[in-house]
Amino acid sequence: MAEPGFTLPVWLTAAAVAALGPLLDQPFEPRPLLQLRPDDPTAALVPVPVEAAARLGGDRALGMARCEPGDGLDLTRGLPVWVEARWTELKPGAAWLQLEPGEGVGVNAHTAEACLSAYARQLLECNLRPRVPEGRALVLRITLPGGRALAQRTSNAAFGVVEGLALIGTQAEVQRSADPDQLARALEQLRQWAQDPACGGDLVLVIGENGLELAPRMGLPPALLLKAGNWIGPLLVAAAEQGLRRLLLFGYQGKLIKLAGGIFHTHHHLADGRLEVLTCQGALQGLPPEQLQGLATAASVEEALQRLAAWDADAAGALRHRVAAAVERRSRAYLARHGQHDLQVGAVLFDRSRQICAMGPEGQTLLQRLQDRDLG
């Protein structure tokens, strides 16, 4: 098995530790030892490489690291992480660690604060606190060069994260969503699931971490949720082979639309075609040429549908539902090619406003059924 890579919070912490060195007049350490398990202080420290660190003058210094997610496919590969560290006065009641989002860092659309997972913050605190002298506060300004462009290839904006990449992750090692190991784990979880009488033949296949967070808020029973990652096709077939009878696909419209084009492994490194699928569905709906051109030349599915809504809100709504229906139709065809005909598949799509924006005919039925289920 390939060596695991590290998530973005680890590289952020490594760059922050590197930046702190010059402020403390310490020699450059190319592989600082980090505590990657904040919940276990006794865990072994792990060396994480950094590229450079230098004092910028006065009480300011810069540390640099570069993301290496391992052998799996990941859009953060090679992403530079810059952290500028500086001292500030520790005022009564103020936090000893303060974070400032720079270029390329995702921020909350409502508060403008850096979007940071709890693990990322804990990682920073447990590695920096022992190094920061008493009575001082540390300010970190984080920059992710290229982060703004990379964020356009994610569904971060669907969850109120704008201007760049969110500093998320719940553990140090990358959990690859495109490699066979991830698929094997999901298949084993699915097998155990199907054998549990409580499942009752139902399953919600949630596309991505964002969908997993949102689904319970939409009334879907947490006990019926299984995160799909990008291996959607094999999981559909496995669900049918395990005897499940009803499966709801729940995901961001910019991701699930790939299924409407017959793309059942959805990692962006392997296949995209989202705007092409949307434009094709628009043509089948009978949209005029200028609107089709607007769809095809948009930067994202979200932007394309916003353009169409500005022209004709009813047409945009109809196109979303057409896409959801196409997801269901192509899923049935995919299952049929693998000799499976008995699994009912529905699709429910949500948008950047965190609202359900479209359902296929089967999706509407299954959503109501699942929301009504009492697993208490």
Side-chain angles (χ1 to χ4, degrees), residues 86-358:
R86 69 179 189 272
W87 300 122
T88 189
E89 180 184 357
L90 181 58
K91 298 179 180 179
W96 68 269
L97 179 61
Q98 302 168 29
L99 305 179
E100 296 179 352
E103 172 61 27
V105 174
V107 300
N108 184 296
H110 302 292
T111 67
E113 295 180 350
C115 289
L116 207 70
S117 67
Y119 173 74
R121 186 172 292 277
Q122 292 165 4
L123 202 59
L124 286 169
E125 291 178 349
C126 78
N127 283 281
L128 294 173
R129 177 71 274 188
R131 294 173 163 91
V132 174
E134 289 295 328
R136 282 191 166 180
L138 183 65
V139 180
L140 302 180
R141 182 167 182 81
I142 306 161
T143 300
L144 302 177
R148 186 185 296 266
L150 290 176
Q152 298 300 315
R153 296 158 60 183
T154 75
S155 58
N156 282 352
F159 294 85
V161 182
V162 298
E163 299 185 14
L165 292 173
L167 299 164
I168 57 176
T170 58
Q171 59 186 38
E173 294 182 1
V174 171
Q175 295 297 300
R176 306 182 186 99
S177 61
D179 69 12
D181 291 337
Q182 192 272 349
L183 174 60
R185 290 190 295 271
L187 289 173
E188 175 59 23
Q189 187 176 356
L190 177 59
R191 185 189 66 78
Q192 296 177 4
W193 191 295
Q195 294 174 355
D196 185 350
C199 98
D202 294 329
L203 176 65
V204 181
L205 204 56
V206 181
I207 315 305
E209 195 71 31
N210 288 333
L212 196 62
E213 187 270 342
L214 183 59
R217 301 188 185 186
M218 297 298 180
L220 292 168
L224 296 179
L225 306 181
L226 176 64
K227 181 182 174 183
N230 288 293
W231 294 90
I232 299 176
L235 288 172
L236 282 174
V237 174
E241 291 175 343
Q242 291 294 330
L244 294 174
R245 299 190 296 275
R246 292 165 296 273
L247 184 147
L248 181 68
L249 291 163
F250 182 85
Y252 175 54
Q253 62 182 357
K255 191 78 164 181
L256 271 183
I257 192 173
K258 292 187 178 183
L259 275 62
I263 300 169
F264 284 84
H265 189 304
T266 59
H267 199 284
H268 62 274
H269 279 288
L270 302 182
D272 196 339
R274 290 170 290 182
L275 291 172
E276 290 80 1
V277 172
L278 187 65
T279 304
C280 176
Q281 292 297 324
L284 292 173
Q285 187 171 306
L287 297 180
E290 62 272 15
Q291 293 183 1
L292 294 175
Q293 185 176 14
L295 297 178
T297 58
S300 65
V301 169
E302 197 79 25
E303 179 182 306
L305 289 166
Q306 288 174 349
R307 285 184 181 181
L308 181 58
W311 278 317
D312 187 336
D314 291 339
L319 183 55
R320 283 188 171 95
H321 288 286
R322 174 179 284 273
V323 167
V327 169
E328 295 181 352
R329 184 170 61 253
R330 294 303 291 266
S331 296
R332 290 195 298 271
Y334 184 93
L335 286 165
R337 289 199 303 273
H338 291 81
Q340 302 296 331
H341 302 274
D342 298 329
L343 180 63
Q344 180 185 4
V345 179
V348 172
L349 285 59
F350 59 85
D351 61 17
R352 284 188 178 180
S353 65
R354 304 170 65 88
Q355 300 296 319
I356 292 175
C357 63

Side-chain angles (χ1 to χ4, degrees), residues 52-69:
R55 187 181 287 272
L56 299 178
D59 285 338
R60 296 168 56 241
L62 182 70
M64 300 172 57
R66 190 173 298 272
C67 290
E68 175 46 66

